[in-house]
Amino acid sequence: MIVPMKKVSFVVLEAERKEALKKLRKLGVVHLERLNGNSAALASFRDSYNTIDRAFMILSEIKLAKNVKLPTVPSFDREQVLAKAEEIIALSERKKQCVENIASYTSELERFRFWGDLDSADFNYLAEKGILLSMYEIPRDAYISLPETLETIVVNESKSQVRFLLIQHTDGSIKPEAAIRPSDLPAEAFAIPMISTSTKQLCSDIESMKKEIVTINEALESAVAYKSYLQKCGSIVSKDIEFENAFSGMGKEISSEEEKNIAPLAWLSGFVPTVDLPAVQVVAQQESWAMVATDPTEEDEVPTKLKNNKFVSLIYPVSDFLGTVPGYREYDISAWFLLFFCVFFGIIFGDGGYGLLMVVVALLADIFAIIKGKKIPAAYNLLFLLGLTTMAWGTVTCTWFGILPEMLPDWLKALSFQPISNAYSALSPENEAYVKQNLQIFCFMLALIQLSIDHLKGIIRFIRSPKCLGELGSLLMVWGMFFVVLNMVVKVPVFFGVETMGLPVIAIIGVGFLLSFVFANYEGSLGASILDSCKNIVSVILGVVNVFSDIVSYIRLWAVGLAGSAISSTINDMAGPTLGGALIFAGILLLVFGHGLNMILNVLSVIVHGVRLNTLEFSSHLGMSWSGFSYEPFCESADNK
């Protein structure tokens, strides 16, 4: 459920606002409204946090060998950790500069690799004596035809190119880099830029910087010992930022000349769970704060706090990963999300063997957590539950590691449910078509159930308003379109005695459309509701088509599950010939790698398809936009959330 909230506003003496904030932070239940603080202290804290975060990211990229022993770090000291963060950044920047210089120097050496050892000092010395040397490269044919007025010295030549020094006599005032190109020098002659130092110096600098990089890497590896301290310091500084942002962002009263003897006031607002309101009122009374608590208005940006039992809370790792938070005035569908996510997961993975592996991994993870004295993460229990649902689906469909049904034990075949069992499907082509049709119908029945839940919730929500008739109309359209989908996609003319394209189905869709058209936009006036529907007549008509497409969308469960099953079978066919001979080891590797890759692909399929059906098709019929943000109280530590 979404926990009800109250909006609270406080007024305190401006001189006491820091102490008031400390009291609120210690209380740890008030989610402050968005504040935009501005102060020198806040800027300093943010700079410190950025420094710590940057240093932490640098250390996170370092991969240590298993035998590396980290140095012992003295007890935690904030200033020392911050200084270490700055040192880590400086080392990283120096390493980056060395790498860039090595690349630049290597490139420059490459330019002069046909010129031998060069030294800019030699060129400058000769230039002072009136002998100005410039380096050029020219095609061999063009060099032969150079004018006799040009004085040159060949340094290096190949089949196609000639590298030469051009000699110019001056009064010693012109430097090599300022040499003027003679007008009679052919355009084919390419001027080689003067070397910045010497080739020997470049080689020496490269070797020196390579050694420096090794030293820097050793220092950074040693600094990994500070990684946990950086994380701890970052958490502390983030709390300082939060406090200073609230302190500098509070509304303040500016006293006029006439009111300069009156103590100025400060104020702020936030949201608190209704159950925690009495505790806030007690503190406000003790501290003599002016306080008012009201119900949030439509304009208020209210945070969302979810409260569910331990079982339903198993879905939180998925919602946290997706970053999906329902709006305060939307539905909490955590229980339905968990139920259908498990079903979708089982169908997409579709293999009882894969489910068994997940159950074993989850149990081992739980055991290791218990041995280490740690709390079992919800993700482990979710994995166990998903493994069980996958095993259940694999059992009823007789699917185990992609093994052909005829090769499975009879007792496993007996556990399967014949209308959707692969064991039954393998007996004849007619049975295969029958099972395929049943699986498709099952997927569409899931759509019918899930989308019906949406509109039943809508009917209950608006039961005191004619708007519930609009939800009833949408429900009727879902049911009518379900039969249409069976007729057009599965080619079933009759389902449970009902003609899938008969007059009753068309009547249900028509009545549903009429009710939705008249009452869907009802906000107190029937005429206004009909007028709104007329204004958006195209969208209203397309809404019927969307119901059809939403139901059809659920066939992806069967299609993706079928693809995974085909991959499993193919892997077995590839590895089968190697398992009875000398290549058995290669066959086992192929099985492990192939099925492991298939499981990874199935995980991606769950994210793309299984999650989509919950967050798009299911949620859109509920009118949910997932526009909420999490309740994050102003507190001393994250544990208070």
Side-chain angles (χ1 to χ4, degrees), residues 526-551:
L526 188 62
S529 176
I530 296 174
L531 183 61
D532 284 342
S533 296
C534 291
K535 290 178 180 177
N536 302 288
I537 187 62
V538 176
S539 298
V540 172
I541 295 174
L542 288 178
V544 182
V545 180
N546 288 338
V547 174
F548 177 86
S549 63
D550 287 345
I551 296 175

PDB file of all heavy atoms in Angstrom, residues 526-551:
ATOM      1  N   LEU A 526     -22.191  15.270 -17.299  1.00  0.00           N
ATOM      2  CA  LEU A 526     -22.304  14.260 -18.342  1.00  0.00           C
ATOM      3  C   LEU A 526     -22.072  14.877 -19.720  1.00  0.00           C
ATOM      4  O   LEU A 526     -21.402  14.296 -20.578  1.00  0.00           O
ATOM      5  CB  LEU A 526     -23.684  13.605 -18.281  1.00  0.00           C
ATOM      6  CG  LEU A 526     -23.902  12.382 -19.179  1.00  0.00           C
ATOM      7  CD1 LEU A 526     -22.942  11.270 -18.791  1.00  0.00           C
ATOM      8  CD2 LEU A 526     -25.349  11.904 -19.090  1.00  0.00           C
ATOM      9  N   GLY A 527     -22.592  16.078 -19.927  1.00  0.00           N
ATOM     10  CA  GLY A 527     -22.416  16.758 -21.212  1.00  0.00           C
ATOM     11  C   GLY A 527     -20.954  17.061 -21.490  1.00  0.00           C
ATOM     12  O   GLY A 527     -20.467  16.872 -22.620  1.00  0.00           O
ATOM     13  N   ALA A 528     -20.264  17.536 -20.460  1.00  0.00           N
ATOM     14  CA  ALA A 528     -18.835  17.844 -20.631  1.00  0.00           C
ATOM     15  C   ALA A 528     -18.043  16.582 -20.933  1.00  0.00           C
ATOM     16  O   ALA A 528     -17.084  16.602 -21.721  1.00  0.00           O
ATOM     17  CB  ALA A 528     -18.295  18.526 -19.372  1.00  0.00           C
ATOM     18  N   SER A 529     -18.449  15.461 -20.329  1.00  0.00           N
ATOM     19  CA  SER A 529     -17.754  14.198 -20.570  1.00  0.00           C
ATOM     20  C   SER A 529     -17.915  13.761 -22.026  1.00  0.00           C
ATOM     21  O   SER A 529     -16.940  13.355 -22.671  1.00  0.00           O
ATOM     22  CB  SER A 529     -18.301  13.115 -19.633  1.00  0.00           C
ATOM     23  OG  SER A 529     -17.708  11.871 -19.901  1.00  0.00           O
ATOM     24  N   ILE A 530     -19.137  13.865 -22.534  1.00  0.00           N
ATOM     25  CA  ILE A 530     -19.390  13.486 -23.929  1.00  0.00           C
ATOM     26  C   ILE A 530     -18.657  14.433 -24.873  1.00  0.00           C
ATOM     27  O   ILE A 530     -18.092  14.009 -25.891  1.00  0.00           O
ATOM     28  CB  ILE A 530     -20.903  13.490 -24.216  1.00  0.00           C
ATOM     29  CG1 ILE A 530     -21.610  12.431 -23.361  1.00  0.00           C
ATOM     30  CG2 ILE A 530     -21.180  13.259 -25.700  1.00  0.00           C
ATOM     31  CD1 ILE A 530     -23.125  12.453 -23.473  1.00  0.00           C
ATOM     32  N   LEU A 531     -18.657  15.736 -24.532  1.00  0.00           N
ATOM     33  CA  LEU A 531     -17.967  16.721 -25.372  1.00  0.00           C
ATOM     34  C   LEU A 531     -16.472  16.431 -25.440  1.00  0.00           C
ATOM     35  O   LEU A 531     -15.851  16.523 -26.509  1.00  0.00           O
ATOM     36  CB  LEU A 531     -18.217  18.129 -24.822  1.00  0.00           C
ATOM     37  CG  LEU A 531     -17.619  19.283 -25.633  1.00  0.00           C
ATOM     38  CD1 LEU A 531     -18.207  19.297 -27.055  1.00  0.00           C
ATOM     39  CD2 LEU A 531     -17.886  20.622 -24.935  1.00  0.00           C
ATOM     40  N   ASP A 532     -15.869  16.063 -24.301  1.00  0.00           N
ATOM     41  CA  ASP A 532     -14.436  15.725 -24.293  1.00  0.00           C
ATOM     42  C   ASP A 532     -14.161  14.521 -25.187  1.00  0.00           C
ATOM     43  O   ASP A 532     -13.156  14.487 -25.904  1.00  0.00           O
ATOM     44  CB  ASP A 532     -13.972  15.417 -22.866  1.00  0.00           C
ATOM     45  CG  ASP A 532     -13.808  16.676 -22.024  1.00  0.00           C
ATOM     46  OD1 ASP A 532     -13.729  17.763 -22.624  1.00  0.00           O
ATOM     47  OD2 ASP A 532     -13.759  16.568 -20.782  1.00  0.00           O
ATOM     48  N   SER A 533     -15.045  13.541 -25.146  1.00  0.00           N
ATOM     49  CA  SER A 533     -14.870  12.362 -26.002  1.00  0.00           C
ATOM     50  C   SER A 533     -15.002  12.730 -27.474  1.00  0.00           C
ATOM     51  O   SER A 533     -14.275  12.198 -28.323  1.00  0.00           O
ATOM     52  CB  SER A 533     -15.891  11.283 -25.633  1.00  0.00           C
ATOM     53  OG  SER A 533     -15.683  10.807 -24.318  1.00  0.00           O
ATOM     54  N   CYS A 534     -15.919  13.649 -27.781  1.00  0.00           N
ATOM     55  CA  CYS A 534     -16.084  14.097 -29.167  1.00  0.00           C
ATOM     56  C   CYS A 534     -14.846  14.848 -29.659  1.00  0.00           C
ATOM     57  O   CYS A 534     -14.440  14.709 -30.819  1.00  0.00           O
ATOM     58  CB  CYS A 534     -17.329  14.979 -29.301  1.00  0.00           C
ATOM     59  SG  CYS A 534     -18.893  14.096 -29.086  1.00  0.00           S
ATOM     60  N   LYS A 535     -14.279  15.654 -28.761  1.00  0.00           N
ATOM     61  CA  LYS A 535     -13.080  16.403 -29.137  1.00  0.00           C
ATOM     62  C   LYS A 535     -11.914  15.462 -29.459  1.00  0.00           C
ATOM     63  O   LYS A 535     -11.062  15.769 -30.290  1.00  0.00           O
ATOM     64  CB  LYS A 535     -12.680  17.349 -28.004  1.00  0.00           C
ATOM     65  CG  LYS A 535     -13.622  18.517 -27.799  1.00  0.00           C
ATOM     66  CD  LYS A 535     -13.152  19.368 -26.624  1.00  0.00           C
ATOM     67  CE  LYS A 535     -14.089  20.555 -26.391  1.00  0.00           C
ATOM     68  NZ  LYS A 535     -13.676  21.356 -25.206  1.00  0.00           N
ATOM     69  N   ASN A 536     -11.877  14.345 -28.761  1.00  0.00           N
ATOM     70  CA  ASN A 536     -10.771  13.393 -28.935  1.00  0.00           C
ATOM     71  C   ASN A 536     -11.275  12.101 -29.583  1.00  0.00           C
ATOM     72  O   ASN A 536     -10.866  11.006 -29.185  1.00  0.00           O
ATOM     73  CB  ASN A 536     -10.123  13.083 -27.580  1.00  0.00           C
ATOM     74  CG  ASN A 536      -9.597  14.318 -26.890  1.00  0.00           C
ATOM     75  OD1 ASN A 536      -8.593  14.887 -27.309  1.00  0.00           O
ATOM     76  ND2 ASN A 536     -10.267  14.732 -25.832  1.00  0.00           N
ATOM     77  N   ILE A 537     -12.176  12.247 -30.551  1.00  0.00           N
ATOM     78  CA  ILE A 537     -12.829  11.092 -31.148  1.00  0.00           C
ATOM     79  C   ILE A 537     -11.819  10.131 -31.778  1.00  0.00           C
ATOM     80  O   ILE A 537     -11.981   8.901 -31.710  1.00  0.00           O
ATOM     81  CB  ILE A 537     -13.868  11.546 -32.214  1.00  0.00           C
ATOM     82  CG1 ILE A 537     -14.681  10.336 -32.714  1.00  0.00           C
ATOM     83  CG2 ILE A 537     -13.187  12.289 -33.338  1.00  0.00           C
ATOM     84  CD1 ILE A 537     -15.489   9.654 -31.658  1.00  0.00           C
ATOM     85  N   VAL A 538     -10.744  10.677 -32.373  1.00  0.00           N
ATOM     86  CA  VAL A 538      -9.731   9.812 -32.986  1.00  0.00           C
ATOM     87  C   VAL A 538      -9.044   8.957 -31.928  1.00  0.00           C
ATOM     88  O   VAL A 538      -8.862   7.744 -32.089  1.00  0.00           O
ATOM     89  CB  VAL A 538      -8.694  10.649 -33.766  1.00  0.00           C
ATOM     90  CG1 VAL A 538      -7.589   9.748 -34.309  1.00  0.00           C
ATOM     91  CG2 VAL A 538      -9.361  11.407 -34.897  1.00  0.00           C
ATOM     92  N   SER A 539      -8.685   9.593 -30.812  1.00  0.00           N
ATOM     93  CA  SER A 539      -8.030   8.859 -29.725  1.00  0.00           C
ATOM     94  C   SER A 539      -8.968   7.829 -29.119  1.00  0.00           C
ATOM     95  O   SER A 539      -8.546   6.731 -28.739  1.00  0.00           O
ATOM     96  CB  SER A 539      -7.554   9.836 -28.639  1.00  0.00           C
ATOM     97  OG  SER A 539      -6.611  10.740 -29.154  1.00  0.00           O
ATOM     98  N   VAL A 540     -10.243   8.176 -29.021  1.00  0.00           N
ATOM     99  CA  VAL A 540     -11.227   7.248 -28.453  1.00  0.00           C
ATOM    100  C   VAL A 540     -11.358   6.009 -29.331  1.00  0.00           C
ATOM    101  O   VAL A 540     -11.380   4.876 -28.842  1.00  0.00           O
ATOM    102  CB  VAL A 540     -12.593   7.949 -28.288  1.00  0.00           C
ATOM    103  CG1 VAL A 540     -13.653   6.935 -27.884  1.00  0.00           C
ATOM    104  CG2 VAL A 540     -12.497   9.062 -27.252  1.00  0.00           C
ATOM    105  N   ILE A 541     -11.422   6.224 -30.651  1.00  0.00           N
ATOM    106  CA  ILE A 541     -11.537   5.086 -31.577  1.00  0.00           C
ATOM    107  C   ILE A 541     -10.257   4.245 -31.549  1.00  0.00           C
ATOM    108  O   ILE A 541     -10.295   3.010 -31.531  1.00  0.00           O
ATOM    109  CB  ILE A 541     -11.840   5.580 -33.000  1.00  0.00           C
ATOM    110  CG1 ILE A 541     -13.222   6.244 -33.031  1.00  0.00           C
ATOM    111  CG2 ILE A 541     -11.776   4.442 -34.002  1.00  0.00           C
ATOM    112  CD1 ILE A 541     -13.564   6.896 -34.359  1.00  0.00           C
ATOM    113  N   LEU A 542      -9.116   4.938 -31.533  1.00  0.00           N
ATOM    114  CA  LEU A 542      -7.845   4.213 -31.467  1.00  0.00           C
ATOM    115  C   LEU A 542      -7.706   3.440 -30.159  1.00  0.00           C
ATOM    116  O   LEU A 542      -6.971   2.448 -30.088  1.00  0.00           O
ATOM    117  CB  LEU A 542      -6.671   5.186 -31.618  1.00  0.00           C
ATOM    118  CG  LEU A 542      -6.461   5.776 -33.011  1.00  0.00           C
ATOM    119  CD1 LEU A 542      -5.308   6.764 -33.010  1.00  0.00           C
ATOM    120  CD2 LEU A 542      -6.195   4.668 -34.028  1.00  0.00           C
ATOM    121  N   GLY A 543      -8.415   3.898 -29.122  1.00  0.00           N
ATOM    122  CA  GLY A 543      -8.376   3.192 -27.849  1.00  0.00           C
ATOM    123  C   GLY A 543      -8.880   1.767 -27.983  1.00  0.00           C
ATOM    124  O   GLY A 543      -8.388   0.853 -27.314  1.00  0.00           O
ATOM    125  N   VAL A 544      -9.880   1.553 -28.838  1.00  0.00           N
ATOM    126  CA  VAL A 544     -10.397   0.204 -29.081  1.00  0.00           C
ATOM    127  C   VAL A 544      -9.309  -0.647 -29.739  1.00  0.00           C
ATOM    128  O   VAL A 544      -9.100  -1.811 -29.380  1.00  0.00           O
ATOM    129  CB  VAL A 544     -11.649   0.257 -29.968  1.00  0.00           C
ATOM    130  CG1 VAL A 544     -12.214  -1.140 -30.173  1.00  0.00           C
ATOM    131  CG2 VAL A 544     -12.701   1.173 -29.358  1.00  0.00           C
ATOM    132  N   VAL A 545      -8.627  -0.058 -30.705  1.00  0.00           N
ATOM    133  CA  VAL A 545      -7.533  -0.773 -31.378  1.00  0.00           C
ATOM    134  C   VAL A 545      -6.419  -1.083 -30.384  1.00  0.00           C
ATOM    135  O   VAL A 545      -5.803  -2.157 -30.430  1.00  0.00           O
ATOM    136  CB  VAL A 545      -6.996   0.058 -32.560  1.00  0.00           C
ATOM    137  CG1 VAL A 545      -5.861  -0.678 -33.263  1.00  0.00           C
ATOM    138  CG2 VAL A 545      -8.113   0.383 -33.540  1.00  0.00           C
ATOM    139  N   ASN A 546      -6.147  -0.135 -29.468  1.00  0.00           N
ATOM    140  CA  ASN A 546      -5.092  -0.351 -28.476  1.00  0.00           C
ATOM    141  C   ASN A 546      -5.412  -1.528 -27.566  1.00  0.00           C
ATOM    142  O   ASN A 546      -4.510  -2.265 -27.153  1.00  0.00           O
ATOM    143  CB  ASN A 546      -4.894   0.914 -27.639  1.00  0.00           C
ATOM    144  CG  ASN A 546      -4.223   2.021 -28.417  1.00  0.00           C
ATOM    145  OD1 ASN A 546      -3.549   1.762 -29.418  1.00  0.00           O
ATOM    146  ND2 ASN A 546      -4.399   3.253 -27.984  1.00  0.00           N
ATOM    147  N   VAL A 547      -6.696  -1.708 -27.244  1.00  0.00           N
ATOM    148  CA  VAL A 547      -7.086  -2.862 -26.423  1.00  0.00           C
ATOM    149  C   VAL A 547      -6.739  -4.154 -27.156  1.00  0.00           C
ATOM    150  O   VAL A 547      -6.189  -5.094 -26.577  1.00  0.00           O
ATOM    151  CB  VAL A 547      -8.589  -2.815 -26.087  1.00  0.00           C
ATOM    152  CG1 VAL A 547      -9.013  -4.098 -25.367  1.00  0.00           C
ATOM    153  CG2 VAL A 547      -8.916  -1.603 -25.229  1.00  0.00           C
ATOM    154  N   PHE A 548      -7.033  -4.185 -28.442  1.00  0.00           N
ATOM    155  CA  PHE A 548      -6.710  -5.362 -29.262  1.00  0.00           C
ATOM    156  C   PHE A 548      -5.199  -5.610 -29.259  1.00  0.00           C
ATOM    157  O   PHE A 548      -4.742  -6.740 -29.034  1.00  0.00           O
ATOM    158  CB  PHE A 548      -7.217  -5.144 -30.684  1.00  0.00           C
ATOM    159  CG  PHE A 548      -6.876  -6.254 -31.637  1.00  0.00           C
ATOM    160  CD1 PHE A 548      -7.696  -7.373 -31.748  1.00  0.00           C
ATOM    161  CD2 PHE A 548      -5.736  -6.191 -32.420  1.00  0.00           C
ATOM    162  CE1 PHE A 548      -7.385  -8.402 -32.627  1.00  0.00           C
ATOM    163  CE2 PHE A 548      -5.415  -7.217 -33.294  1.00  0.00           C
ATOM    164  CZ  PHE A 548      -6.239  -8.326 -33.400  1.00  0.00           C
ATOM    165  N   SER A 549      -4.413  -4.569 -29.501  1.00  0.00           N
ATOM    166  CA  SER A 549      -2.956  -4.737 -29.581  1.00  0.00           C
ATOM    167  C   SER A 549      -2.357  -5.098 -28.228  1.00  0.00           C
ATOM    168  O   SER A 549      -1.387  -5.859 -28.156  1.00  0.00           O
ATOM    169  CB  SER A 549      -2.310  -3.454 -30.118  1.00  0.00           C
ATOM    170  OG  SER A 549      -2.524  -2.369 -29.234  1.00  0.00           O
ATOM    171  N   ASP A 550      -2.945  -4.554 -27.144  1.00  0.00           N
ATOM    172  CA  ASP A 550      -2.435  -4.891 -25.815  1.00  0.00           C
ATOM    173  C   ASP A 550      -2.622  -6.373 -25.511  1.00  0.00           C
ATOM    174  O   ASP A 550      -1.739  -7.016 -24.932  1.00  0.00           O
ATOM    175  CB  ASP A 550      -3.138  -4.048 -24.748  1.00  0.00           C
ATOM    176  CG  ASP A 550      -2.670  -2.599 -24.750  1.00  0.00           C
ATOM    177  OD1 ASP A 550      -1.620  -2.327 -25.358  1.00  0.00           O
ATOM    178  OD2 ASP A 550      -3.354  -1.747 -24.153  1.00  0.00           O
ATOM    179  N   ILE A 551      -3.757  -6.909 -25.878  1.00  0.00           N
ATOM    180  CA  ILE A 551      -4.005  -8.339 -25.644  1.00  0.00           C
ATOM    181  C   ILE A 551      -3.073  -9.180 -26.514  1.00  0.00           C
ATOM    182  O   ILE A 551      -2.460 -10.144 -26.044  1.00  0.00           O
ATOM    183  CB  ILE A 551      -5.481  -8.682 -25.920  1.00  0.00           C
ATOM    184  CG1 ILE A 551      -6.393  -7.950 -24.931  1.00  0.00           C
ATOM    185  CG2 ILE A 551      -5.706 -10.190 -25.819  1.00  0.00           C
ATOM    186  CD1 ILE A 551      -7.876  -8.125 -25.205  1.00  0.00           C
TER     187      ILE A 551
END
